[in-house]
């Protein structure tokens, strides 16, 4: 079936054979997944590679988190939960709040105060979650929700929850289906390191099942001010403009390092300037608007290419994890701004064509 035909079909139905689903598992869905894989012609030519981006910002709440959340929520309902909770840099809270609303569960989210993008906050609120902002970072928020979920009958839907990774691995299946096989390289942003771990599981299971023949090199990218896996130690005060990956103590760190090692890939850091430069380039020269965290995959690709990490012509997939509209403040701050004119033809003509 084509991607178009698959869009709208619950991810759990499409990949039922690969997921721990039973007859008792309800299917909580909003048509997540089946996102486009788009070739970047200009960047491919410039880097002498075959570069594609997976537009995960086209999921129902605007990020890849929907893949894992539809499944985590379905399993929570199957297991009799009536309430869910998560810590979030923003997108997990948007996805949890939306899928909880659909499933009829109450939802609480804890976010780092002042450090989540405007669109994500708007989503969590309008979907009806109870939103707590801590005076601390994501790692503080996660510590608190873990304890709450141990003391109260409330299901934890962070990527500690194994069903999140099960749902997220389906993105790797889609990449293989779209290209006919796995790519040479997968470039992906790394925050809590759940997504890179999920992709690696997905590529492995697909090959095992004979649906692909090879495995990609897994290249993960963290923001320079928030790069615990690159530094080899916890970062106590992570800082970066890429708020979705502003995490100093990744829960799936070991698993992610294993994936990067086993696949002959690696982990590296990119600066906020490199991230923002890739972010602007994607929008202005390829027409692709992602959030800053997502652009770290492309910033990382550009850096790795400059360091001679590829053979010419290799096929690379960069995962663009979230939609640019999530963070309008950064988009506006990074752009030229509007030109104000009086309501007159001559003024418009002058502004566009000069005197
Ligand atoms: C959650 C998120 C990430 C990081 O994914 P992890 O699984 O935490 O590594 C990257 N980009 C965006 C937009 C996200 O929402």
């Amino acid at each position: 079936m084509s991607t178009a035909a698959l869009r709208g079909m619950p991810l759990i139905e499409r990949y039922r054979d690969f997921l721990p689903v039973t007859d008792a598992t309800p299917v909580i869905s909003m048509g997540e997944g089946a996102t486009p894989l788009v070739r970047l012609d200009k960047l491919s030519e410039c880097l002498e590679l075959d570069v594609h981006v997976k537009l995960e910002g086209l999921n129902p709440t605007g990020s890849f988190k929907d893949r894992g959340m539809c499944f985590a929520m379905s399993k929570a309902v199957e297991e009799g939960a009536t309430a869910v909770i998560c810590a979030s840099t923003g997108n997990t809270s948007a996805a949890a709040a939306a899928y909880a609303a659909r499933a009829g569960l109450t939802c609480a989210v804890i976010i780092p105060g002042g450090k989540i993008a405007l669109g994500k906050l708007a989503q969590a609120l309008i979907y009806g979650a109870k939103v707590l902002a801590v005076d601390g970072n994501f790692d503080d928020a996660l510590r608190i929700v873990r304890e709450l979920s141990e003391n109260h009958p409330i299901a934890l839907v962070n990527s500690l929850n194994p069903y999140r990774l099960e749902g997220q691995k389906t993105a790797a299946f889609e990449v293989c289906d779209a290209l006919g096989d796995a790519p040479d390289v997968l470039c992906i942003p790394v925050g809590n390191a759940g997504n890179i771990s999920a992709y690696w599981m997905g590529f492995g299971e697909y090959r095992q099942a004979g649906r692909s023949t090879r495995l990609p090199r897994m290249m993960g990218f963290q923001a320079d001010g928030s790069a615990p896996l690159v530094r080899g130690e916890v970062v106590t005060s992570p800082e970066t403009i890429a708020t979705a990956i502003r995490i100093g103590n990744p829960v799936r760190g070991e698993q992610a390092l294993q994936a990067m090692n086993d696949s002959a890939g690696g982990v590296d850091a990119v600066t906020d300037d490199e991230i923002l430069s890739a972010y602007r380039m994607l929008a202005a020269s390829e027409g692709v608007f992602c959030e800053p965290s997502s652009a770290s995959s492309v910033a990382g690709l550009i850096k790795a290419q400059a360091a001679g990490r590829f053979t010419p012509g290799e096929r690379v997939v960069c995962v663009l994890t979230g939609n640019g509209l999530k963070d309008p403040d950064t988009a506006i701050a990074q752009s030229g701004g509007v030109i104000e004119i009086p309501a007159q033809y001559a003024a418009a003509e002058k502004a566009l064509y000069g005197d």
Side-chain angles (χ1 to χ4, degrees), residues 261-283:
N261 264 329
D262 291 351
S263 69
V267 64
D268 200 3
V270 282
T271 64
D272 279 9
D273 281 349
E274 288 168 328
I275 291 173
L276 290 171
S277 154
Y279 169 75
R280 289 187 306 262
M281 178 279 290
L282 281 168

Side-chain angles (χ1 to χ4, degrees), residues 61-342:
T61 78
S63 85
F64 76 83
K65 300 296 198 301
D66 293 340
R67 293 181 184 274
M69 201 54 77
C70 69
F71 195 49
M73 206 63 70
S74 299
K75 294 303 275 189
V77 171
E78 179 180 352
E79 289 160 12
T82 57
V84 294
I85 190 167
C86 64
S88 175
T89 59
N91 283 330
T92 301
S93 65
Y99 282 89
R102 248 184 119 67
L105 271 56
T106 60
C107 177
V109 305
I110 305 192
I111 57 172
K115 293 290 185 183
I116 84 164
L118 193 63
K120 304 176 188 180
L121 182 61
Q123 287 179 292
L125 291 169
I126 198 72
Y127 292 133
K130 190 160 279 186
V131 179
L132 310 184
V134 289
D135 181 14
N137 59 35
F138 170 84
D139 306 286
D140 297 313
L142 184 60
R143 174 173 47 80
I144 296 168
V145 302
R146 283 176 96 150
E147 198 170 336
L148 281 166
S149 72
E150 279 157 22
N151 293 336
H152 296 275
I154 189 164
L156 185 69
V157 291
N158 276 105
S159 56
L160 281 162
N161 178 324
Y163 302 126
R164 286 277 308 280
L165 268 60
E166 292 288 340
Q168 285 171 208
K169 76 186 179 189
T170 59
F173 302 162
E174 290 177 12
V175 167
C176 294
D177 288 343
L179 296 174
D181 206 339
D184 296 300
V185 178
L186 188 89
C187 292
I188 184 168
V190 173
N192 225 0
N195 207 28
I196 188 171
S197 304
Y199 268 86
W200 184 238
M201 274 167 52
F203 285 121
E205 289 178 20
Y206 229 41
R207 190 184 61 160
Q208 188 90 40
R211 304 271 286 261
S212 62
T213 67
R214 50 213 290 272
L215 297 170
R217 309 202 294 282
M218 302 291 288
M219 299 182 65
F221 297 99
Q222 302 198 290
D224 201 40
S226 176
L229 299 183
V230 180
R231 314 256 174 269
E233 62 188 20
V234 170
V235 174
T236 45
S237 305
E239 272 312 332
T240 170
I241 188 150
T243 51
I245 52 173
R246 187 174 168 269
I247 294 177
N249 187 12
V251 165
R252 298 278 182 178
E254 287 304 316
Q255 200 174 337
L257 285 170
Q258 188 82 46
M260 293 185 277
N261 264 329
D262 291 351
S263 69
V267 64
D268 200 3
V270 282
T271 64
D272 279 9
D273 281 349
E274 288 168 328
I275 291 173
L276 290 171
S277 154
Y279 169 75
R280 289 187 306 262
M281 178 279 290
L282 281 168
S285 95
E286 303 280 2
V288 172
F289 183 28
C290 63
E291 59 175 288
S293 305
S294 310
S296 65
S297 60
V298 172
L301 164 65
I302 293 167
K303 185 179 174 191
Q305 210 275 352
R309 297 286 304 276
F310 305 107
T311 309
E314 280 195 306
R315 178 170 277 176
V316 181
V317 170
C318 294
V319 182
L320 297 185
T321 45
N323 196 302
L325 289 171
K326 295 272 192 175
D327 188 355
D329 294 322
T330 301
I332 291 167
Q334 288 293 313
S335 310
V338 297
I339 302 164
E340 297 191 7
I341 58 160

